[in-house]
Amino acid sequence: MNVLEVDNLARHFGAVRAVDGVSLSIAARETVGLVGESGCGKSTFARMVMRLARPTAGTVRIDGQDVWQLEGKALRDVRRHFQMVFQDPMASLNPRLKLGAVLQEPLSLHGLPGTPAELLHQVGLPTEFVDRYPHQLSGGQRQRVGLARALATGPRLVVADEPVSALDVSVQAQIVNLLQDLQTERGLSYLFISHDLHVVRHLSSRVAVMYLGAWMELGPVSLVDRPLHPYTQALVEARPKPGTATPSLKGDPPNAAAMPSGCRFHPRCPRRIERCSQEAPAWREVEPGHWVSCHLA
């Protein structure tokens, strides 16, 4: 059984289709990277998976249970199995609480064994940090605390929303290596959200590429080396390269409240043909496990 199964998930804000009917599964011990430009719907998708934003349509199942159909004790029992690491740990940690109290809260809420000191040790922080406040830590240390809090309940799935984007490159590598080590030790599954394809490539086994709330491409991480969709190709080419200026994806995304006809990427696509503006491409499997939404792929 998959740890996560998302089916036809959508979130609309009036005419704005922030997430527009996407499906995804994540197996045990698997990491799926979710990439796309800012504003494409990545975080909204994550919040619906975490039951923090109600879908307009679709289902989210954790270990086969529809989390949006659960309430009360049934929800609490399942909630411990999926946790989130946020982009800004300073904003997600209570500044008035010492770290010991921050980490004790999920243990007490679910009646779980363990201590805050043990959780800090598992993420590579000194146990004496239990008496420190969040502002007394560096950004990388705070992110480790956020990860420790997520691990406190013994989850099977961790949703990491841009967890290293605000960190220095050397600290990014430390956090990514820690995530990999914890996955091996605990059998975790990750939904890892990032705009950095280099980090996603290092950590993930599959990649989902989102544009204006829909999947453009989904497949093995090797698609980063051989992308089929022009949008994925543009993201790969926009990666910074040593000694060169950083290129940018040409044009701005269209107004999400007035989605273009046909392929939603066609106004910015360098390969577009007339059909692209008239007919939405089918979501099709072009190779085993490799899906794409493009007339030309």
Side-chain angles (χ1 to χ4, degrees):
M1 179 185 295
N2 291 318
V3 174
L4 173 68
E5 293 180 339
V6 174
D7 184 41
N8 201 31
L9 198 64
R11 172 69 171 178
H12 299 166
F13 299 93
V16 176
R17 292 177 282 177
V19 176
D20 200 18
V22 297
S23 300
L24 180 70
S25 63
I26 300 180
R29 299 176 178 268
E30 182 184 25
T31 299
V32 173
L34 174 52
V35 300
E37 294 173 285
S38 296
C40 72
K42 303 188 302 293
S43 292
T44 301
F45 177 78
R47 289 175 62 82
M48 288 190 290
V49 169
M50 285 302 304
R51 208 180 186 276
L52 298 175
R54 181 172 291 277
T56 303
T59 58
V60 177
R61 292 185 172 87
I62 304 291
D63 290 332
Q65 298 191 71
D66 187 341
V67 299
W68 283 100
Q69 298 300 316
L70 301 176
E71 299 292 343
K73 184 179 183 301
L75 175 60
R76 181 177 296 181
D77 290 344
V78 173
R79 169 73 79 181
R80 58 171 290 199
H81 295 302
F82 60 108
Q83 294 292 318
M84 189 165 185
V85 178
F86 296 90
Q87 178 178 1
D88 183 359
M90 194 61 188
S92 62
L93 299 174
N94 190 328
R96 295 183 176 87
L97 295 181
K98 291 182 178 180
L99 301 182
V102 169
L103 297 176
Q104 183 60 49
E105 188 173 25
L107 296 173
S108 300
L109 180 64
H110 292 279
L112 299 172
T115 66
E118 290 172 346
L119 290 170
L120 288 174
H121 177 71
Q122 290 171 14
V123 297
L125 291 176
T127 56
E128 57 265 28
F129 274 25
V130 293
D131 291 321
R132 293 195 180 184
Y133 289 93
H135 74 270
Q136 296 175 303
L137 276 60
S138 68
Q141 290 171 337
R142 285 194 291 265
Q143 195 58 282
R144 288 175 185 260
V145 174
L147 181 56
R149 182 176 59 181
L151 295 175
T153 62
R156 286 169 46 76
L157 172 70
V158 173
V159 176
D161 188 5
E162 300 272 11
V164 298
S165 63
L167 305 177
D168 293 338
V169 173
S170 60
V171 181
Q172 286 184 11
Q174 294 172 14
I175 298 298
V176 168
N177 290 336
L178 175 61
L179 289 169
Q180 290 180 310
D181 292 342
L182 290 168
Q183 183 173 46
T184 300
E185 294 169 7
R186 292 169 166 256
L188 297 170
S189 300
Y190 291 128
L191 174 62
F192 186 86
I193 301 170
S194 180
H195 62 271
D196 189 331
L197 279 168
H198 175 72
V199 175
V200 167
R201 180 181 182 181
H202 182 71
L203 191 63
S204 306
S205 54
R206 287 191 296 142
V207 179
V209 181
M210 177 175 271
Y211 182 76
L212 286 179
W215 297 150
M216 297 292 99
E217 192 165 359
L218 170 65
V221 71
S222 58
L223 70 79
V224 175
D225 298 314
R226 194 170 59 88
L228 297 181
H229 197 284
Y231 178 60
T232 312
Q233 293 171 1
L235 293 178
V236 171
E237 292 169 359
R239 288 169 53 190
K241 299 176 179 63
T244 64
T246 302
S248 60
L249 188 59
K250 293 182 179 180
D252 295 320
N255 184 353
M259 203 71 71
S261 60
C263 173
R264 61 190 66 200
F265 184 62
H266 89 263
R268 304 171 72 191
C269 182
R271 296 168 49 195
R272 65 182 179 270
I273 58 176
E274 185 177 356
R275 181 185 181 191
C276 298
S277 63
Q278 299 174 350
E279 179 185 342
W283 180 240
R284 57 194 178 92
E285 190 175 25
V286 292
E287 298 172 349
H290 191 163
W291 296 74
V292 67
S293 177
C294 180
H295 294 303
L296 303 176

